Amino acid sequence: MTRTVYVNGDYLPEDQAKVSIFDRGFLMADGVYEVTSVLGGKLVDFDGHAVRLERSLSELDMAAPVTKAELLEIHRELVRLNGIDEGMIYLQITRGAPADRDFAFPDPAEVPSTIVLFTQNKPGLADSPAARTGIKVISIEDIRWGRRDIKTVQLLYPSMGKMMAKKAGVDDAWLVEDGFVTEGTSNNAYIVKGNKIITRALSTDILHGITRAAVLRFAREAQMEVEERNFTIEEAKEADEAFITSASTFVMPVVEIDGAQLGDGTPGRVAPRLREIYLEESRKAAV
Ligand code: PMP
């Protein structure tokens, strides 16, 4: 089945969808994105993603080409047209395609933004084998720009980080700045000590994960202690457990950091429990 995608108001077969070579997303990574997961054919935390998208756009003085209600309708229509039960919807909005390449932003009244959405079908996403074994990470220096709270499409360094991890024979990389872990290449990072979950506090240093917000809320509701503070790789290596969160991995246990095994090298008690709660609650609240 050919995938149907959405481009600037049209639903088209993927091989007929086109964007200009002058698009600032292509030339300058002048764009923002969101990834929303689909469970049981429904959208997980759509509202959270829509609110963060609005914030990313406004921080960059970029116009929203559609309303939140229209955005929900487009997401739902793509799920329907592509028969998605489990997977993701990728959304990208760029500052559009002016007539030529120029560093200065074009006038939004003259150059409309570009909006693209497509589905990624991932049957078995919730029942991931990696969640049973846990993943391994290495640490690398965080050399990204200073506004990581804006979800831009500037993903070259995170991609390089993934390749460094791959080359080292592990699954992902945790980024370290001034001695403290910021986040994973495409996820938020946590350690667990006893019944306490430790994760970096929100700031411009990290992306404000939609999954992070939900997981911390569920953890508190389950009487787990949450401490939002910086931690080092040394402290992480000594932790009882570690895990990551993101819209596409949900809650994923981490069992090895820079070659140091955590506990007995298998997922502990807290991360798998949080994954269970998160999946259960997300299915219930999905729209
Ligand atoms: N941090 C970074 C750098 C990310 O790229 C992502 C996922 N896009 C996250 C955290 C997790 O965010 P969310 O839970 O909203 O997917």
Side-chain angles (χ1 to χ4, degrees):
M1 190 171 97
T2 326
R3 174 163 44 178
T4 301
V5 304
Y6 177 91
V7 187
N8 298 327
D10 296 321
Y11 293 92
L12 297 167
E14 62 181 49
D15 55 358
Q16 287 174 31
K18 292 191 170 53
V19 173
S20 163
I21 64 156
F22 296 109
D23 196 280
R24 289 180 60 93
F26 175 65
L27 294 179
M28 290 169 168
D30 188 358
V32 299
Y33 76 110
E34 281 295 331
V35 176
T36 303
S37 59
V38 178
L39 287 177
K42 290 184 169 177
L43 305 161
V44 174
D45 224 330
F46 173 79
D47 213 59
H49 290 284
V51 168
R52 184 172 63 188
L53 174 68
E54 275 170 18
R55 183 175 177 275
S56 293
L57 289 168
S58 78
E59 289 297 302
L60 296 174
D61 287 326
M62 219 184 273
V66 289
T67 65
K68 197 159 137 188
E70 286 166 337
L71 205 56
L72 177 59
E73 189 45 41
I74 299 165
H75 276 74
R76 284 183 164 157
E77 185 62 0
L78 283 180
V79 167
R80 192 184 68 77
L81 290 170
N82 294 287
I84 307 295
D85 179 54
E86 285 191 7
M88 282 101 73
I89 314 240
Y90 177 85
L91 151 81
Q92 179 169 333
I93 296 174
T94 75
R95 206 181 303 274
D100 202 355
R101 181 176 180 273
D102 188 349
F103 278 78
F105 293 173
D107 180 350
E110 284 166 27
V111 178
S113 45
T114 300
I115 175 166
V116 167
L117 285 92
F118 56 82
T119 53
Q120 293 185 277
N121 192 25
K122 304 271 179 196
L125 183 68
D127 189 28
S128 150
R132 290 191 282 277
T133 56
I135 62 161
K136 300 175 179 179
V137 302
I138 51 167
S139 64
I140 61 171
E141 197 190 340
D142 193 343
I143 58 165
R144 297 173 302 163
W145 80 324
R147 288 304 305 275
R148 301 156 193 160
D149 55 314
I150 307 173
K151 197 164 170 62
T152 78
V153 296
Q154 306 175 88
L155 296 174
L156 182 55
Y157 189 64
S159 294
M160 289 168 72
K162 285 264 191 222
M163 294 313 292
M164 288 183 234
K166 208 169 163 179
K167 211 170 154 193
V170 300
D171 306 289
D172 202 2
W174 277 12
L175 307 171
V176 177
E177 185 173 56
D178 299 330
F180 296 105
V181 174
T182 51
E183 55 189 335
T185 57
S186 58
N187 42 67
N188 290 112
Y190 309 74
I191 57 174
V192 180
K193 284 185 161 186
N195 199 33
K196 194 189 294 172
I197 296 160
I198 300 158
T199 194
R200 192 176 178 107
L202 295 180
S203 72
T204 51
D205 298 339
I206 62 169
L207 186 74
H208 301 190
I210 302 305
T211 321
R212 177 190 185 278
V215 165
L216 293 187
R217 188 171 75 245
F218 298 142
R220 287 181 173 120
E221 281 169 12
Q223 314 304 325
M224 295 176 194
E225 203 183 327
V226 175
E227 205 172 298
E228 294 181 68
R229 66 158 170 87
N230 284 358
F231 63 88
T232 65
I233 283 291
E234 288 318 306
E235 186 180 9
K237 284 174 163 178
E238 299 292 316
D240 297 328
E241 290 181 45
F243 63 95
I244 56 166
T245 64
S246 74
S248 54
T249 62
F250 311 118
V251 178
M252 181 65 70
V254 170
V255 294
E256 190 187 291
I257 301 171
D258 280 345
Q261 187 179 289
L262 302 190
D264 64 0
T266 64
R269 198 174 42 83
V270 174
R273 178 72 192 123
L274 279 174
R275 181 181 177 89
E276 216 173 84
I277 299 174
Y278 178 78
L279 286 171
E280 198 182 309
E281 294 299 324
S282 296
R283 281 184 199 281
K284 271 196 251 166
V287 296

